[in-house]
Amino acid sequence: MKINKLLLLGLIMLTSCNSTGHKPKYNNFKNDLDRENLEGKVLSLEKYKIIVSDSKTETTNNPTKELVMEFTETGNLSGMKKYDVFGKLIYSAQNIYNKKRLKIKGFTEDLNIDSRYSRSVEKYVYKNDKLSSAKIFVNDTLKYISYFEYDKSGHLTKQLGIQNNDTTLNKLTYIFDKHGNEISQKNIQTTRNKKYEYVNTYKFDNKNNIIETNSDFDVFGTSKNVNVYDSKNRIEKSTQYKDKLIEKDIIYDKFYDETLISFYRNGSLERELKYEYEFDKKGNWIKRKAYVKNCSTHSEEFKLAFIETRKIVYYE
């Protein structure tokens, strides 16, 4: 029932010189531009990657297209295309929204020869602006249907998924603090033969910023994310743990762009990735250079590994 877990995560999202003064959002996104941390009324974005073949001379290969995204005037994602390392199209998607900016249809095509599915159509139905049902058709055949229920405050409390006559039932319960912050979410998932428990807990500082997220899953073990904020309530550092061992440490600039990522293996520092940016007038990055340091060999040198560029077009 892999598709059920992935769909649940995606569908819950449906229910929920750089001197622009941009304040990043980390949750409660208004639209997909917020989710992508993009400033201004973006019409389209094309992303390219340039591999550095010789770090000493900084000799590069030709740029390869990686991603194309298109947005509506209200900031929702209307189309997406993904490409492989050779620049060949491997995935495309289109979304249709109603007058209330709610997604009602989605069309995807997976062109990867290793993919199990090729074409799919998603249809969404809402009640009181809340997602009430979703259907997925694969190659014109109904493969999956899901129903949703909410409490009086609009929190998802029940999701029933049906696939090939198998059902998956998710029941969610919440705990809130005196400020209304969600400090615990428990999901009991029941399938034909098994029952799983997923628990997320959250800690807040005195400014209602999320400073710690803990996840405990029967199947995937435990994970933790710790955020550190600056004086203006902007995340400047995030540290990720898996089963109590550090996995990743990320340093951000004030616009929530990653500047330094430290990767760990079995709790020991393995390598570091450093980014340097160029921005457009809206405050969105249009070029970034990535430098890598191999810490496992005790190297102190960052070497240029690749360059990414973005071509961003705005609504007038």
Side-chain angles (χ1 to χ4, degrees), residues 291-314:
Y291 298 84
V292 176
K293 181 170 70 173
N294 188 351
C295 301
S296 61
T297 60
H298 306 290
S299 172
E300 294 296 327
E301 182 183 4
F302 279 97
K303 297 181 179 180
L304 182 63
F306 59 88
I307 301 169
E308 293 174 309
T309 62
R310 300 197 301 187
K311 179 182 178 181
I312 302 176
V313 178
Y314 298 89

PDB file of all heavy atoms in Angstrom, residues 291-314:
ATOM      1  N   TYR A 291      30.208  24.157  -3.703  1.00  0.00           N
ATOM      2  CA  TYR A 291      31.558  23.709  -3.396  1.00  0.00           C
ATOM      3  C   TYR A 291      31.472  22.550  -2.407  1.00  0.00           C
ATOM      4  O   TYR A 291      30.720  22.611  -1.427  1.00  0.00           O
ATOM      5  CB  TYR A 291      32.380  24.835  -2.788  1.00  0.00           C
ATOM      6  CG  TYR A 291      32.561  26.028  -3.698  1.00  0.00           C
ATOM      7  CD1 TYR A 291      31.579  27.023  -3.788  1.00  0.00           C
ATOM      8  CD2 TYR A 291      33.709  26.173  -4.461  1.00  0.00           C
ATOM      9  CE1 TYR A 291      31.745  28.120  -4.617  1.00  0.00           C
ATOM     10  CE2 TYR A 291      33.890  27.277  -5.291  1.00  0.00           C
ATOM     11  CZ  TYR A 291      32.895  28.241  -5.363  1.00  0.00           C
ATOM     12  OH  TYR A 291      33.058  29.332  -6.189  1.00  0.00           O
ATOM     13  N   VAL A 292      32.263  21.516  -2.630  1.00  0.00           N
ATOM     14  CA  VAL A 292      32.216  20.309  -1.800  1.00  0.00           C
ATOM     15  C   VAL A 292      33.554  20.104  -1.099  1.00  0.00           C
ATOM     16  O   VAL A 292      34.623  20.302  -1.693  1.00  0.00           O
ATOM     17  CB  VAL A 292      31.875  19.066  -2.647  1.00  0.00           C
ATOM     18  CG1 VAL A 292      31.925  17.798  -1.782  1.00  0.00           C
ATOM     19  CG2 VAL A 292      30.500  19.206  -3.270  1.00  0.00           C
ATOM     20  N   LYS A 293      33.476  19.706   0.172  1.00  0.00           N
ATOM     21  CA  LYS A 293      34.673  19.338   0.935  1.00  0.00           C
ATOM     22  C   LYS A 293      34.499  17.929   1.470  1.00  0.00           C
ATOM     23  O   LYS A 293      33.497  17.626   2.128  1.00  0.00           O
ATOM     24  CB  LYS A 293      34.906  20.315   2.084  1.00  0.00           C
ATOM     25  CG  LYS A 293      36.162  19.988   2.912  1.00  0.00           C
ATOM     26  CD  LYS A 293      36.508  21.088   3.897  1.00  0.00           C
ATOM     27  CE  LYS A 293      35.534  21.182   5.032  1.00  0.00           C
ATOM     28  NZ  LYS A 293      35.963  22.142   6.085  1.00  0.00           N
ATOM     29  N   ASN A 294      35.449  17.060   1.181  1.00  0.00           N
ATOM     30  CA  ASN A 294      35.408  15.675   1.640  1.00  0.00           C
ATOM     31  C   ASN A 294      36.069  15.582   3.000  1.00  0.00           C
ATOM     32  O   ASN A 294      37.298  15.561   3.117  1.00  0.00           O
ATOM     33  CB  ASN A 294      36.116  14.762   0.632  1.00  0.00           C
ATOM     34  CG  ASN A 294      35.929  13.291   0.966  1.00  0.00           C
ATOM     35  OD1 ASN A 294      35.420  12.942   2.037  1.00  0.00           O
ATOM     36  ND2 ASN A 294      36.333  12.412   0.055  1.00  0.00           N
ATOM     37  N   CYS A 295      35.257  15.526   4.044  1.00  0.00           N
ATOM     38  CA  CYS A 295      35.791  15.535   5.404  1.00  0.00           C
ATOM     39  C   CYS A 295      36.324  14.166   5.825  1.00  0.00           C
ATOM     40  O   CYS A 295      37.133  14.072   6.759  1.00  0.00           O
ATOM     41  CB  CYS A 295      34.716  15.989   6.388  1.00  0.00           C
ATOM     42  SG  CYS A 295      34.070  17.637   6.033  1.00  0.00           S
ATOM     43  N   SER A 296      35.881  13.096   5.163  1.00  0.00           N
ATOM     44  CA  SER A 296      36.340  11.757   5.533  1.00  0.00           C
ATOM     45  C   SER A 296      37.827  11.565   5.241  1.00  0.00           C
ATOM     46  O   SER A 296      38.477  10.702   5.825  1.00  0.00           O
ATOM     47  CB  SER A 296      35.521  10.693   4.788  1.00  0.00           C
ATOM     48  OG  SER A 296      35.674  10.822   3.382  1.00  0.00           O
ATOM     49  N   THR A 297      38.378  12.391   4.320  1.00  0.00           N
ATOM     50  CA  THR A 297      39.810  12.327   4.015  1.00  0.00           C
ATOM     51  C   THR A 297      40.578  13.447   4.721  1.00  0.00           C
ATOM     52  O   THR A 297      41.742  13.696   4.405  1.00  0.00           O
ATOM     53  CB  THR A 297      40.033  12.441   2.494  1.00  0.00           C
ATOM     54  OG1 THR A 297      39.497  13.692   2.026  1.00  0.00           O
ATOM     55  CG2 THR A 297      39.349  11.297   1.763  1.00  0.00           C
ATOM     56  N   HIS A 298      39.888  14.131   5.651  1.00  0.00           N
ATOM     57  CA  HIS A 298      40.469  15.222   6.437  1.00  0.00           C
ATOM     58  C   HIS A 298      40.897  16.398   5.564  1.00  0.00           C
ATOM     59  O   HIS A 298      41.812  17.154   5.916  1.00  0.00           O
ATOM     60  CB  HIS A 298      41.664  14.725   7.259  1.00  0.00           C
ATOM     61  CG  HIS A 298      41.340  13.557   8.126  1.00  0.00           C
ATOM     62  ND1 HIS A 298      40.536  13.649   9.243  1.00  0.00           N
ATOM     63  CD2 HIS A 298      41.686  12.236   8.019  1.00  0.00           C
ATOM     64  CE1 HIS A 298      40.418  12.455   9.801  1.00  0.00           C
ATOM     65  NE2 HIS A 298      41.099  11.585   9.082  1.00  0.00           N
ATOM     66  N   SER A 299      40.232  16.546   4.422  1.00  0.00           N
ATOM     67  CA  SER A 299      40.529  17.661   3.536  1.00  0.00           C
ATOM     68  C   SER A 299      39.958  18.948   4.113  1.00  0.00           C
ATOM     69  O   SER A 299      38.890  18.954   4.718  1.00  0.00           O
ATOM     70  CB  SER A 299      39.934  17.413   2.145  1.00  0.00           C
ATOM     71  OG  SER A 299      40.050  18.560   1.328  1.00  0.00           O
ATOM     72  N   GLU A 300      40.681  20.053   3.938  1.00  0.00           N
ATOM     73  CA  GLU A 300      40.217  21.355   4.399  1.00  0.00           C
ATOM     74  C   GLU A 300      39.825  22.249   3.223  1.00  0.00           C
ATOM     75  O   GLU A 300      39.500  23.417   3.408  1.00  0.00           O
ATOM     76  CB  GLU A 300      41.322  22.046   5.210  1.00  0.00           C
ATOM     77  CG  GLU A 300      41.666  21.338   6.516  1.00  0.00           C
ATOM     78  CD  GLU A 300      40.492  21.322   7.485  1.00  0.00           C
ATOM     79  OE1 GLU A 300      39.708  22.288   7.475  1.00  0.00           O
ATOM     80  OE2 GLU A 300      40.361  20.339   8.246  1.00  0.00           O
ATOM     81  N   GLU A 301      39.841  21.681   2.016  1.00  0.00           N
ATOM     82  CA  GLU A 301      39.621  22.476   0.815  1.00  0.00           C
ATOM     83  C   GLU A 301      38.235  22.227   0.226  1.00  0.00           C
ATOM     84  O   GLU A 301      37.812  21.089   0.044  1.00  0.00           O
ATOM     85  CB  GLU A 301      40.673  22.124  -0.240  1.00  0.00           C
ATOM     86  CG  GLU A 301      40.556  22.924  -1.520  1.00  0.00           C
ATOM     87  CD  GLU A 301      41.573  22.507  -2.562  1.00  0.00           C
ATOM     88  OE1 GLU A 301      42.335  21.538  -2.312  1.00  0.00           O
ATOM     89  OE2 GLU A 301      41.595  23.138  -3.640  1.00  0.00           O
ATOM     90  N   PHE A 302      37.528  23.330  -0.048  1.00  0.00           N
ATOM     91  CA  PHE A 302      36.268  23.254  -0.778  1.00  0.00           C
ATOM     92  C   PHE A 302      36.570  23.338  -2.274  1.00  0.00           C
ATOM     93  O   PHE A 302      37.268  24.257  -2.716  1.00  0.00           O
ATOM     94  CB  PHE A 302      35.334  24.398  -0.385  1.00  0.00           C
ATOM     95  CG  PHE A 302      34.580  24.168   0.896  1.00  0.00           C
ATOM     96  CD1 PHE A 302      35.050  24.699   2.090  1.00  0.00           C
ATOM     97  CD2 PHE A 302      33.411  23.431   0.902  1.00  0.00           C
ATOM     98  CE1 PHE A 302      34.358  24.496   3.268  1.00  0.00           C
ATOM     99  CE2 PHE A 302      32.704  23.221   2.078  1.00  0.00           C
ATOM    100  CZ  PHE A 302      33.174  23.752   3.258  1.00  0.00           C
ATOM    101  N   LYS A 303      36.038  22.391  -3.045  1.00  0.00           N
ATOM    102  CA  LYS A 303      36.241  22.356  -4.485  1.00  0.00           C
ATOM    103  C   LYS A 303      34.924  22.584  -5.212  1.00  0.00           C
ATOM    104  O   LYS A 303      33.898  22.009  -4.842  1.00  0.00           O
ATOM    105  CB  LYS A 303      36.843  21.020  -4.912  1.00  0.00           C
ATOM    106  CG  LYS A 303      38.234  20.752  -4.333  1.00  0.00           C
ATOM    107  CD  LYS A 303      38.788  19.416  -4.818  1.00  0.00           C
ATOM    108  CE  LYS A 303      40.181  19.175  -4.267  1.00  0.00           C
ATOM    109  NZ  LYS A 303      40.732  17.880  -4.742  1.00  0.00           N
ATOM    110  N   LEU A 304      34.973  23.425  -6.243  1.00  0.00           N
ATOM    111  CA  LEU A 304      33.775  23.691  -7.029  1.00  0.00           C
ATOM    112  C   LEU A 304      33.304  22.400  -7.696  1.00  0.00           C
ATOM    113  O   LEU A 304      34.055  21.770  -8.437  1.00  0.00           O
ATOM    114  CB  LEU A 304      34.056  24.765  -8.077  1.00  0.00           C
ATOM    115  CG  LEU A 304      32.883  25.183  -8.960  1.00  0.00           C
ATOM    116  CD1 LEU A 304      31.771  25.818  -8.128  1.00  0.00           C
ATOM    117  CD2 LEU A 304      33.351  26.164 -10.034  1.00  0.00           C
ATOM    118  N   ALA A 305      32.035  22.011  -7.443  1.00  0.00           N
ATOM    119  CA  ALA A 305      31.505  20.751  -7.968  1.00  0.00           C
ATOM    120  C   ALA A 305      30.490  20.958  -9.083  1.00  0.00           C
ATOM    121  O   ALA A 305      30.489  20.240 -10.083  1.00  0.00           O
ATOM    122  CB  ALA A 305      30.859  19.944  -6.841  1.00  0.00           C
ATOM    123  N   PHE A 306      29.590  21.928  -8.901  1.00  0.00           N
ATOM    124  CA  PHE A 306      28.601  22.201  -9.940  1.00  0.00           C
ATOM    125  C   PHE A 306      28.046  23.604  -9.761  1.00  0.00           C
ATOM    126  O   PHE A 306      28.208  24.235  -8.712  1.00  0.00           O
ATOM    127  CB  PHE A 306      27.473  21.164  -9.933  1.00  0.00           C
ATOM    128  CG  PHE A 306      26.712  21.060  -8.642  1.00  0.00           C
ATOM    129  CD1 PHE A 306      25.607  21.871  -8.381  1.00  0.00           C
ATOM    130  CD2 PHE A 306      27.083  20.135  -7.669  1.00  0.00           C
ATOM    131  CE1 PHE A 306      24.901  21.782  -7.198  1.00  0.00           C
ATOM    132  CE2 PHE A 306      26.377  20.028  -6.472  1.00  0.00           C
ATOM    133  CZ  PHE A 306      25.291  20.851  -6.244  1.00  0.00           C
ATOM    134  N   ILE A 307      27.381  24.068 -10.817  1.00  0.00           N
ATOM    135  CA  ILE A 307      26.748  25.381 -10.814  1.00  0.00           C
ATOM    136  C   ILE A 307      25.302  25.203 -11.246  1.00  0.00           C
ATOM    137  O   ILE A 307      25.013  24.466 -12.198  1.00  0.00           O
ATOM    138  CB  ILE A 307      27.463  26.341 -11.788  1.00  0.00           C
ATOM    139  CG1 ILE A 307      28.935  26.486 -11.394  1.00  0.00           C
ATOM    140  CG2 ILE A 307      26.776  27.701 -11.802  1.00  0.00           C
ATOM    141  CD1 ILE A 307      29.762  27.198 -12.453  1.00  0.00           C
ATOM    142  N   GLU A 308      24.392  25.851 -10.531  1.00  0.00           N
ATOM    143  CA  GLU A 308      22.977  25.809 -10.889  1.00  0.00           C
ATOM    144  C   GLU A 308      22.508  27.215 -11.250  1.00  0.00           C
ATOM    145  O   GLU A 308      22.869  28.183 -10.580  1.00  0.00           O
ATOM    146  CB  GLU A 308      22.137  25.263  -9.729  1.00  0.00           C
ATOM    147  CG  GLU A 308      22.417  23.802  -9.431  1.00  0.00           C
ATOM    148  CD  GLU A 308      21.684  23.323  -8.197  1.00  0.00           C
ATOM    149  OE1 GLU A 308      21.791  23.992  -7.157  1.00  0.00           O
ATOM    150  OE2 GLU A 308      21.019  22.276  -8.275  1.00  0.00           O
ATOM    151  N   THR A 309      21.723  27.307 -12.311  1.00  0.00           N
ATOM    152  CA  THR A 309      21.154  28.597 -12.706  1.00  0.00           C
ATOM    153  C   THR A 309      19.640  28.459 -12.822  1.00  0.00           C
ATOM    154  O   THR A 309      19.123  27.375 -13.112  1.00  0.00           O
ATOM    155  CB  THR A 309      21.737  29.087 -14.047  1.00  0.00           C
ATOM    156  OG1 THR A 309      21.398  28.144 -15.086  1.00  0.00           O
ATOM    157  CG2 THR A 309      23.233  29.237 -13.960  1.00  0.00           C
ATOM    158  N   ARG A 310      18.956  29.563 -12.604  1.00  0.00           N
ATOM    159  CA  ARG A 310      17.496  29.580 -12.745  1.00  0.00           C
ATOM    160  C   ARG A 310      17.079  30.776 -13.604  1.00  0.00           C
ATOM    161  O   ARG A 310      17.514  31.903 -13.359  1.00  0.00           O
ATOM    162  CB  ARG A 310      16.807  29.665 -11.378  1.00  0.00           C
ATOM    163  CG  ARG A 310      17.138  28.514 -10.467  1.00  0.00           C
ATOM    164  CD  ARG A 310      16.161  28.375  -9.307  1.00  0.00           C
ATOM    165  NE  ARG A 310      16.080  29.547  -8.451  1.00  0.00           N
ATOM    166  CZ  ARG A 310      15.391  29.587  -7.303  1.00  0.00           C
ATOM    167  NH1 ARG A 310      14.742  28.508  -6.894  1.00  0.00           N
ATOM    168  NH2 ARG A 310      15.363  30.679  -6.572  1.00  0.00           N
ATOM    169  N   LYS A 311      16.266  30.503 -14.598  1.00  0.00           N
ATOM    170  CA  LYS A 311      15.676  31.546 -15.415  1.00  0.00           C
ATOM    171  C   LYS A 311      14.248  31.762 -14.923  1.00  0.00           C
ATOM    172  O   LYS A 311      13.398  30.882 -15.057  1.00  0.00           O
ATOM    173  CB  LYS A 311      15.677  31.146 -16.892  1.00  0.00           C
ATOM    174  CG  LYS A 311      15.059  32.187 -17.813  1.00  0.00           C
ATOM    175  CD  LYS A 311      15.040  31.704 -19.252  1.00  0.00           C
ATOM    176  CE  LYS A 311      14.373  32.731 -20.158  1.00  0.00           C
ATOM    177  NZ  LYS A 311      14.316  32.263 -21.576  1.00  0.00           N
ATOM    178  N   ILE A 312      13.976  32.942 -14.351  1.00  0.00           N
ATOM    179  CA  ILE A 312      12.685  33.211 -13.735  1.00  0.00           C
ATOM    180  C   ILE A 312      11.985  34.306 -14.521  1.00  0.00           C
ATOM    181  O   ILE A 312      12.540  35.385 -14.754  1.00  0.00           O
ATOM    182  CB  ILE A 312      12.841  33.630 -12.262  1.00  0.00           C
ATOM    183  CG1 ILE A 312      13.577  32.525 -11.487  1.00  0.00           C
ATOM    184  CG2 ILE A 312      11.483  33.894 -11.634  1.00  0.00           C
ATOM    185  CD1 ILE A 312      13.858  32.880 -10.040  1.00  0.00           C
ATOM    186  N   VAL A 313      10.748  34.027 -14.941  1.00  0.00           N
ATOM    187  CA  VAL A 313       9.918  35.003 -15.652  1.00  0.00           C
ATOM    188  C   VAL A 313       8.760  35.379 -14.740  1.00  0.00           C
ATOM    189  O   VAL A 313       8.139  34.523 -14.102  1.00  0.00           O
ATOM    190  CB  VAL A 313       9.396  34.420 -16.990  1.00  0.00           C
ATOM    191  CG1 VAL A 313       8.492  35.430 -17.681  1.00  0.00           C
ATOM    192  CG2 VAL A 313      10.559  34.016 -17.875  1.00  0.00           C
ATOM    193  N   TYR A 314       8.446  36.689 -14.693  1.00  0.00           N
ATOM    194  CA  TYR A 314       7.397  37.192 -13.798  1.00  0.00           C
ATOM    195  C   TYR A 314       6.203  37.692 -14.591  1.00  0.00           C
ATOM    196  O   TYR A 314       6.334  38.132 -15.738  1.00  0.00           O
ATOM    197  CB  TYR A 314       7.949  38.333 -12.943  1.00  0.00           C
ATOM    198  CG  TYR A 314       9.082  37.932 -12.038  1.00  0.00           C
ATOM    199  CD1 TYR A 314      10.406  37.988 -12.475  1.00  0.00           C
ATOM    200  CD2 TYR A 314       8.846  37.476 -10.742  1.00  0.00           C
ATOM    201  CE1 TYR A 314      11.447  37.613 -11.634  1.00  0.00           C
ATOM    202  CE2 TYR A 314       9.886  37.108  -9.910  1.00  0.00           C
ATOM    203  CZ  TYR A 314      11.178  37.167 -10.366  1.00  0.00           C
ATOM    204  OH  TYR A 314      12.204  36.777  -9.534  1.00  0.00           O
TER     205      TYR A 314
END
